[in-house]
Amino acid sequence: MGYKVAIVGATGNVGREMLNILEERGFPADEVVALASRRSQGTDVSYGDKTLKVRSLEQYDFSDTDICLMSAGGAVSKEWSPKIGKQGCVVIDNSSAFRYDPDVPLIVPEVNADAVTGFTKKNIIANPNCSTAQMLVALKPLHDHATIKRVVVSTYQSVSGAGKDGMDELFTQTRAIFVADSVENKKFTKRIAFNVIPHIDVFMEDGTTKEEWKMVAETKKMLDPKIKVTATCVRVPVFIGHSEAINLEFEKPITAEEARDILREAPGCQVIDKHEDGGYITPLESAGEDATFISRIREDSTLDNGLNIWVVSDNLRKGAALNAVQIAELLLERDLIKPRKQAA
């Protein structure tokens, strides 16, 4: 007997990717239900070689559903995730709504899988921010070996992190520039085509943006509360794939060669680090891939125990949809949920 899985936000970039990944990985689902707002009701979405009709979230009964993959934004999640959880369905939420709730585990399976057992308090598990997820996949094995004291990270985040509207705006602006049309900014605060914007999410009182704050708070919650983190998050004119330049300071000595060896063996990591033209990863190559790629591993001579690394991943997959499906797989592997139809 397989599981019944609902995807909320099935018409969005991440929702569609969740459907693709469930099918690709052979998740044991007897039934998959695509849900969205009333205005998307009746839309067709693909699940393997099947076509699913999108149903209305407002009219759906979760009482016989085992897992809900939620990717409809923070406001929808705040309203619906607790209601769904109370019906006995485990919610794996991709928004920021519950990431900092002490009663909701924030999970990257390669980083802190053991924390998943805490989901029973609210029947909600949070998926981290896309930029944090890929960073911690790379940092966890290094932290285990030499204990990270401080992280300085600068991100180069693709427009797909801002949803379909962000991708459409980059495409539309780029085309407009080539044909000498006027360029409009709708999704982003400044022109994104042929530009970079050091502003993701809202500004906070101290001048950091919410995106930067998320990377700090989530690293402390998932990896180690003692780690000092400072981030600068930048939107770049790339469709898919987030990149990060990360400077690390460790308590114990670690060489670049040791770091390469550790990361080559680490779950979810793939090292591409040759000291030659093209011997590194870019976001273009990461699109559609599951791995977190690490390149440009080198020692920082300005620190006693310092390293620089370059980390790239498909933000729609490991940064969102893949991580959510991996959390669902983790629940099954650890025998933490059973199909409700079977139990009945």
Side-chain angles (χ1 to χ4, degrees):
M1 178 76 73
Y3 294 81
K4 186 173 182 180
V5 180
I7 312 291
V8 176
T11 58
N13 283 344
V14 173
R16 290 175 188 271
E17 203 65 40
M18 285 172 169
L19 288 164
N20 290 337
I21 291 169
L22 282 170
E23 196 275 334
E24 280 175 17
R25 293 173 72 88
F27 189 85
D30 278 353
E31 186 177 353
V32 174
V33 181
L35 301 171
S37 63
R38 278 199 183 99
R39 72 175 181 273
S40 296
Q41 191 171 349
T43 303
D44 289 340
V45 291
S46 296
Y47 171 61
D49 56 5
K50 299 176 185 173
T51 299
L52 305 180
K53 286 281 183 195
V54 173
R55 295 156 68 175
S56 168
L57 168 63
E58 293 88 342
Q59 297 169 345
Y60 184 74
D61 179 4
F62 284 89
S63 61
D64 67 345
T65 303
D66 300 297
I67 298 169
C68 171
L69 303 182
M70 173 74 68
S71 186
V76 173
S77 182
K78 277 181 185 174
E79 179 183 356
W80 284 94
S81 291
K83 296 177 187 176
I84 296 167
K86 283 176 181 173
Q87 291 187 60
C89 177
V90 181
V91 179
I92 300 171
D93 179 33
N94 195 55
S95 81
S96 61
F98 296 95
R99 287 176 188 157
Y100 318 108
D101 185 325
D103 291 333
V104 174
L106 179 65
I107 301 294
V108 172
E110 298 93 334
V111 176
N112 63 335
D114 289 347
V116 77
T117 55
F119 81 92
T120 54
K121 292 177 183 174
K122 290 189 175 178
N123 257 6
I124 301 171
I125 302 168
N127 217 23
N129 189 40
C130 46
S131 50
T132 313
Q134 69 182 65
M135 181 173 79
L136 294 191
V137 169
L139 265 51
K140 165 68 172 168
L142 300 176
H143 183 60
D144 287 348
H145 180 81
T147 310
I148 297 168
K149 290 169 59 178
R150 183 170 185 254
V151 178
V152 181
V153 55
S154 298
T155 71
Y156 306 74
Q157 294 180 227
S158 66
V159 293
S160 57
K164 183 176 180 298
D165 289 347
M167 298 177 80
D168 288 346
E169 185 149 316
L170 174 57
F171 178 82
T172 302
Q173 288 184 354
T174 303
R175 184 174 57 186
I177 290 163
F178 275 115
V179 298
D181 277 352
S182 61
V183 175
E184 290 184 76
N185 305 329
K186 294 178 181 176
K187 183 67 179 178
F188 301 113
T189 55
K190 295 199 176 190
R191 194 183 92 185
I192 186 61
F194 305 99
N195 198 17
V196 299
I197 305 172
H199 173 196
I200 301 176
D201 212 326
V202 298
F203 275 97
M204 303 178 77
E205 282 187 17
D206 65 354
T208 62
T209 63
K210 189 75 177 288
E211 186 83 356
E212 292 155 357
W213 176 85
K214 289 174 191 173
M215 295 193 76
V216 176
E218 292 171 16
T219 298
K220 289 178 177 292
K221 181 170 179 177
M222 285 190 287
L223 190 58
D224 189 334
K226 297 190 290 291
I227 294 177
K228 295 178 179 178
V229 182
T230 183
T232 301
C233 293
V234 182
R235 190 73 73 191
V236 298
V238 169
F239 283 108
I240 294 172
H242 287 355
S243 307
E244 297 169 345
I246 307 173
N247 177 264
L248 301 167
E249 182 180 1
F250 295 86
E251 286 184 10
K252 302 168 192 170
I254 182 170
T255 65
E257 198 53 50
E258 285 172 331
R260 279 188 206 96
D261 290 342
I262 291 163
L263 290 167
R264 283 191 186 107
E265 299 299 318
C269 294
Q270 188 167 335
V271 175
I272 298 178
D273 189 25
K274 296 179 181 177
H275 301 169
E276 60 186 42
D277 292 353
Y280 42 80
I281 197 75
T282 68
L284 186 67
E285 294 98 50
S286 78
E289 299 292 332
D290 289 347
T292 295
F293 297 93
I294 302 107
S295 306
R296 303 295 319 283
I297 303 166
R298 60 206 188 278
E299 289 157 37
D300 179 357
S301 61
T302 69
L303 295 171
D304 285 341
N305 302 311
L307 287 178
N308 288 300
I309 62 174
W310 173 252
V311 177
V312 180
S313 191
D314 182 328
N315 55 293
L316 298 180
R317 290 180 76 88
K318 186 56 191 171
L322 173 64
N323 199 69
V325 174
Q326 287 176 312
I327 292 170
E329 292 171 344
L330 182 63
L331 292 173
L332 273 55
E333 286 164 14
R334 301 206 172 191
D335 206 23
L336 295 171
I337 62 169
K338 294 270 194 246
R340 295 165 85 183
K341 285 182 180 176
Q342 177 181 304

